[in-house]
Amino acid sequence: MRITRLLAAAICCFFATTYLVFSQDVSQDYIINQEGHKIYGTIKKSFDFNTITYIPFVSNEGVKTKYYPDDIQGFGLSNGRKFKSRHIPEKEVDGLVFFQIILEGNVSLLSYKNWFFIENEDYFLELNIVSEAKDAEGNLVRAKDREYMGRLSYMLYGPCGDVLQEKIATTNLSEKELISTFKVYYECEQIPYALNVEKLPFVRASLVAGAGIFFTQSYLTKDSFDEIPHVFDTQHNPYISLGIKLDQWRRLPRFAFDTGIGFTKGENVINMELFKPNQRYSATEEYSRSSLIVPIFINYLTFRTKKNEFYFGAGAVIRTNKLESKFSIVDHKITYEPVTVRLYEESVLTYSSSKFSPAIKLGINFLYNRRFGIVSEFQLEHISKEYTIDLSSRQSYYNSLVASYMIGFRL
């Protein structure tokens, strides 16, 4: 089938772009061995170092080693992130883990998974919320005790303690809010500190301008009375798009969000025939169709190489269609005696004015660790009752399976 060949060509184009080769920056990663010495080399980049159990390290001499938290004191990445090995408070039997040092000074802020910790020379405490049951006029209710506020007040106590109280009272357990609170403390006390995530944005926002092509395959809905055999002159259309992509979330590094707006317009011809007892219908309609397309996707990064990352996405596509009929004629022939033929002009094709349809996609983000790059995506979308054919007082509804291939520039 023609549509099968077109789909195969689109998939080939999608995967063919994976061989693109780009240059790479020199790494400045390092580990800190048990003697406290830094050894420089390359650490294979992971999606989320907040949950990593070991690091694959290649020294500048080419020696490959896997390091677990028990093997080293910590490690650092070229982007400024630092990690140290230590026990989780009250869970020392579980062994060491890699904590990220978000901010360091006389009082440091650390994280592991989605938990935050505060540390000085004497204490290493978790910043948490405790849920406890309380009696309220005979009813047992669960209340949240923001224990972390008391621990922040205690650990950050000093001449500026009063200034901090208002800030702490409005601080929630998020990395951004905690960093903001620590900055108030250090700037007020005029104590030096180091913010190790300063070079890392909370999220990267990029514009993606692209162009691609749609391929469509249709089939009859289950609630239609009868199928009307028909064929379109072409089942593919080009389109252009402009969107925004939010990725490289600091706390959710595997997830990304993208949306945008696309436009497609094309002319086409539909031809059909319908046979009834002693009657024959044939019809032709020339039309122009334009569509505004708004995709909304949540993506999950599945695999990453040194230069590129691969992801799949799930979401929905909102389509707004405008159909302009240019010429339509129906040939109705009665085959019993006396044979009669009647020609009349009547539109036989109707597209839904708007549709909200589910979609999935596969994508490649080239040069993921640079500000500019290339995005390549293959998308599959299901549109229910996209168009209707009305001939001889019979209405048939058709679903569409739309495959598309897009390549664009991430700016």
Side-chain angles (χ1 to χ4, degrees), residues 87 186 211 249 285:
H87 293 283
Y186 278 107
W249 297 85
E285 183 167 358

Side-chain angles (χ1 to χ4, degrees), residues 115-385:
W115 308 323
F116 294 98
F117 300 82
I118 190 169
E119 179 185 35
N120 63 12
E121 291 182 355
D122 301 316
Y123 297 99
F124 187 70
L125 304 173
E126 182 180 354
L127 301 176
N128 56 5
I129 297 176
V130 179
S131 180
E132 56 184 3
K134 292 185 178 181
D135 182 87
E137 298 180 356
N139 296 320
L140 192 64
V141 296
R142 300 202 68 84
K144 291 183 177 180
D145 180 9
R146 293 176 173 80
E147 189 176 276
Y148 69 90
M149 290 186 176
R151 293 185 172 182
L152 284 172
S153 298
Y154 176 74
M155 298 284 277
L156 301 180
Y157 178 78
C160 297
D162 293 338
V163 177
L164 273 172
Q165 292 311 307
E166 292 185 9
K167 178 62 178 175
I168 291 174
T170 60
T171 298
N172 57 45
L173 276 181
S174 68
E175 188 178 83
K176 183 178 181 180
E177 282 291 309
L178 290 172
I179 289 174
S180 176
T181 300
F182 271 72
K183 282 185 174 181
V184 171
Y185 165 73
Y186 278 107
E187 290 170 5
C188 178
E189 300 281 353
Q190 296 184 351
I191 302 173
Y193 70 97
L195 180 59
N196 298 326
V197 295
E198 191 171 10
K199 297 180 181 178
L200 300 173
F202 289 98
V203 62
R204 180 179 67 177
S206 307
L207 285 176
V208 178
I213 188 168
F214 287 114
F215 309 96
T216 305
Q217 179 69 63
S218 304
Y219 60 96
L220 189 70
T221 63
K222 293 181 179 179
D223 58 349
S224 291
F225 176 74
D226 194 10
E227 183 171 9
I228 300 176
H230 63 282
V231 63
F232 293 94
D233 273 8
T234 180
Q235 290 180 303
H236 62 275
N237 268 331
Y239 73 96
I240 57 174
S241 64
L242 181 65
I244 185 170
K245 179 186 289 287
L246 302 177
D247 63 348
Q248 295 191 6
W249 297 85
R250 194 188 296 172
R251 302 302 302 177
L252 296 170
R254 280 184 178 265
F255 288 90
F257 170 83
D258 62 66
T259 186
I261 186 167
F263 178 76
T264 180
K265 183 175 183 179
E267 297 184 353
N268 209 343
V269 178
I270 184 172
N271 297 286
M272 65 192 72
E273 284 188 329
L274 175 63
F275 292 93
K276 299 172 68 175
N278 301 315
Q279 296 184 71
R280 173 184 173 274
Y281 288 86
S282 63
T284 297
E285 183 167 358
E286 297 179 8
Y287 65 94
S288 173
R289 177 191 170 200
S290 59
S291 302
L292 281 177
I293 308 150
V294 179
I296 304 170
F297 278 92
I298 294 178
N299 306 320
Y300 182 78
L301 307 178
T302 57
F303 178 69
R304 176 178 286 171
T305 66
K306 292 181 179 179
K307 305 165 188 174
N308 313 317
E309 59 186 12
F310 301 77
Y311 57 89
F312 72 84
V317 177
I318 303 171
R319 288 177 176 269
T320 302
N321 298 310
K322 182 179 180 182
L323 186 70
E324 180 184 351
S325 180
K326 296 187 174 182
F327 172 77
S328 179
I329 189 166
V330 179
D331 183 340
H332 178 207
K333 182 177 182 180
I334 300 176
T335 56
Y336 59 80
E337 296 294 336
V339 175
T340 59
V341 177
R342 184 167 70 96
L343 295 174
Y344 58 93
E345 294 185 11
E346 183 179 86
S347 179
V348 293
L349 176 67
T350 304
Y351 270 89
S352 59
S353 59
S354 62
K355 276 294 178 181
F356 184 87
S357 53
I360 58 175
K361 68 179 176 182
L362 295 173
I364 306 173
N365 185 11
F366 297 100
L367 286 179
Y368 76 89
N369 56 352
R370 299 208 179 170
R371 184 65 186 87
F372 304 102
I374 297 174
V375 176
S376 177
E377 293 182 348
F378 177 77
Q379 179 179 309
L380 200 60
E381 173 191 357
H382 180 267
I383 308 176
S384 62
K385 293 187 177 181

